[in-house]
Amino acid sequence: MGPHPAVAAIRLAVRRVLHDILNEHTRNAEHPRRTPHPELAEAGAGRQRAPLPERPDTPLVLVACSGGADSMALASALAFEARKLDVRAGGVTVDHGLQDGSDARAAEVVDRLTAMRLDPVESVAVRVGHEGGPEAAARDARYAALDAAAERHGATAVLLGHTRDDQAETVLLGLARGSGIRSLSGMAASSGPAGRYRRPFLQLDRQTARTACLAQSLPVWDDPHNIDPAYTRSRLRHEGLPALEKALGKGVVEALARTAQLSRDDADALDTWAAEAARSVRDEAGRLECAKLYALPPAVRRRVLRRAVVEAGSPAGSLFARHIEEVDRLITGWRGQRAINLPGRVEAMRQGGRLVIRQS
């Protein structure tokens, strides 16, 4: 008799991702980076870079595990599948220090991951700031810790337990912010530097992960923050989505996840178009020409402008749609406006038919 259907589903999802990782690892091993010619290396001596770590013969894949149902199901599937493949499997739990006893709970997660025969396994304590609100600050601290852990252990990938339900919530949050199609595209199956972060469960619902834990008698921890109405995502999860399903019927989560994928495909195509257009709207001196920008479709032009603003030094995380709309008006609604101040002490102004974007 085979495993429970929920267990089989999570294992299949992880197996597919591990096969992708192995294929990429093999391609990278077959085509390693070449050592630059001595003259080129000397020319670039002013740009100091840390030496690349040696690539081990067997890739290491870490699972980010909070102890919740989603990540525990992910950890169990990774432990099972890695033993059947040429993959080393480890785990990391992040202690945000936001609740009493969080250090003890992190130690329990380490014990559970170790019992699954994952290695290496570690707990990382972080200090959560305040910038962007509590949810964003905790997320930033968590990803910084996971990035550091991946670098420290030489991990090829880090698996995250985001489910289809999480994807639906992310799409709705992006819709509420009114921040465009990229925000509606939700979370990517692969993201981060060199595709470090992988999300095997984006096509699985939250209940499947919980059922898999029950079927395997895996203890799980339910984070009280997930039901705290002080947090936007918690209110959306327990009030917003149920209200939508009551009004529109079942299938809202699946539809939102599908919207995310369609939006991502469109956004990727527009980004590619914008990258090509960015080279064609500059003069010989590299300055942006307003007439050529005006001729672009609005969705492409705004992407070109955003890229230029970020390259000038504006932090991407602090740059919102309203900022780009103001810059866009220098192209489409020019009436002699003054320079526009942007995050990162960047300013945009129109001079002699050229758009000048620079740090002040």
Side-chain angles (χ1 to χ4, degrees):
M1 184 176 178
H4 187 282
V7 176
I10 65 169
R11 288 177 178 175
L12 176 60
V14 169
R15 188 183 317 143
R16 287 171 172 165
V17 169
L18 292 183
H19 277 299
D20 289 342
I21 292 170
L22 281 170
N23 288 336
E24 293 165 14
H25 183 80
T26 300
R27 286 196 297 270
N28 290 337
E30 291 174 350
H31 304 284
R33 293 185 180 183
R34 296 180 179 179
T35 302
H37 188 279
E39 293 180 2
L40 296 178
E42 184 177 351
R47 299 186 297 273
Q48 295 293 328
R49 287 188 177 183
L52 292 173
E54 293 275 337
R55 290 184 63 85
D57 292 334
T58 304
L60 170 65
V61 177
L62 300 175
V63 58
C65 186
S66 67
D70 302 342
S71 59
M72 285 298 293
L74 182 59
S76 70
L78 173 62
F80 181 85
E81 294 296 333
R83 288 194 288 270
K84 298 158 55 178
L85 299 169
D86 191 20
V87 174
R88 294 181 295 137
V92 179
T93 186
V94 178
D95 175 12
H96 297 84
L98 298 176
Q99 301 166 12
D100 292 338
S102 64
D103 54 343
R105 186 166 51 253
E108 290 176 5
V109 173
V110 167
D111 289 343
R112 292 171 188 170
L113 296 181
T114 303
M116 293 178 185
R117 290 189 289 169
L118 297 180
D119 181 43
V121 172
E122 69 171 334
S123 170
V124 181
V126 298
R127 189 185 190 105
V128 177
H130 303 284
E131 186 174 352
E135 292 168 284
R139 182 177 60 251
D140 290 346
R142 179 166 60 253
Y143 276 102
L146 293 175
D147 277 334
E151 296 291 343
R152 187 163 54 252
H153 295 292
T156 301
V158 179
L159 304 189
L160 305 176
H162 296 123
T163 65
R164 187 169 63 191
D165 301 78
D166 296 308
Q167 185 74 298
E169 293 162 8
T170 301
V171 171
L172 283 176
L173 289 170
L175 182 63
R177 287 193 296 266
S179 47
I181 193 171
R182 176 56 71 186
S183 189
L184 294 183
S185 66
M187 295 174 286
S190 174
S191 65
R196 168 177 292 160
Y197 294 107
R198 309 295 175 106
R199 298 176 175 86
F201 289 175
L202 286 183
Q203 301 302 318
L204 300 177
D205 61 27
R206 190 174 289 137
Q207 188 57 45
T208 297
R210 185 169 289 274
T211 301
C213 289
L214 289 173
Q216 299 173 96
S217 300
L218 294 175
V220 299
W221 171 68
D222 290 317
D223 187 348
H225 282 170
N226 289 336
I227 58 173
D228 188 343
Y231 295 94
T232 304
R233 187 177 285 269
S234 175
R235 294 195 303 274
L236 179 60
R237 179 174 302 176
H238 298 287
E239 300 173 22
L241 270 173
L244 280 176
E245 291 199 331
K246 183 178 180 180
L248 303 176
K250 295 293 184 182
V252 170
V253 168
E254 293 88 340
L256 288 169
R258 188 164 57 251
T259 296
Q261 185 57 59
L262 293 172
S263 298
R264 181 166 296 279
D265 292 342
D266 290 349
D268 287 346
L270 286 168
D271 285 348
T272 300
W273 186 356
E276 295 171 353
R279 294 188 290 270
S280 68
V281 295
R282 294 182 182 272
D283 60 18
E284 294 82 357
R287 296 172 300 180
L288 291 166
E289 298 188 64
C290 295
K292 291 181 178 179
L293 284 167
Y294 185 84
L296 294 174
V300 177
R301 182 175 60 247
R302 287 171 184 160
R303 280 168 166 76
V304 172
L305 295 176
R306 178 181 175 82
R307 177 191 293 256
V309 171
V310 171
E311 288 176 351
S314 190
S318 302
L319 199 59
F320 302 120
R322 66 177 184 273
H323 295 127
I324 303 305
E325 288 169 2
E326 287 298 317
V327 177
D328 194 41
R329 287 193 186 96
L330 294 176
I331 307 299
T332 62
W334 173 242
R335 298 183 305 278
Q337 299 98 311
R338 294 181 179 179
I340 296 170
N341 295 318
L342 300 164
R345 293 175 37 252
V346 171
E347 62 179 13
M349 67 188 76
R350 181 165 173 158
Q351 292 180 343
R354 302 293 189 270
L355 185 66
V356 179
I357 302 174
R358 65 191 181 194
Q359 280 193 314
S360 56

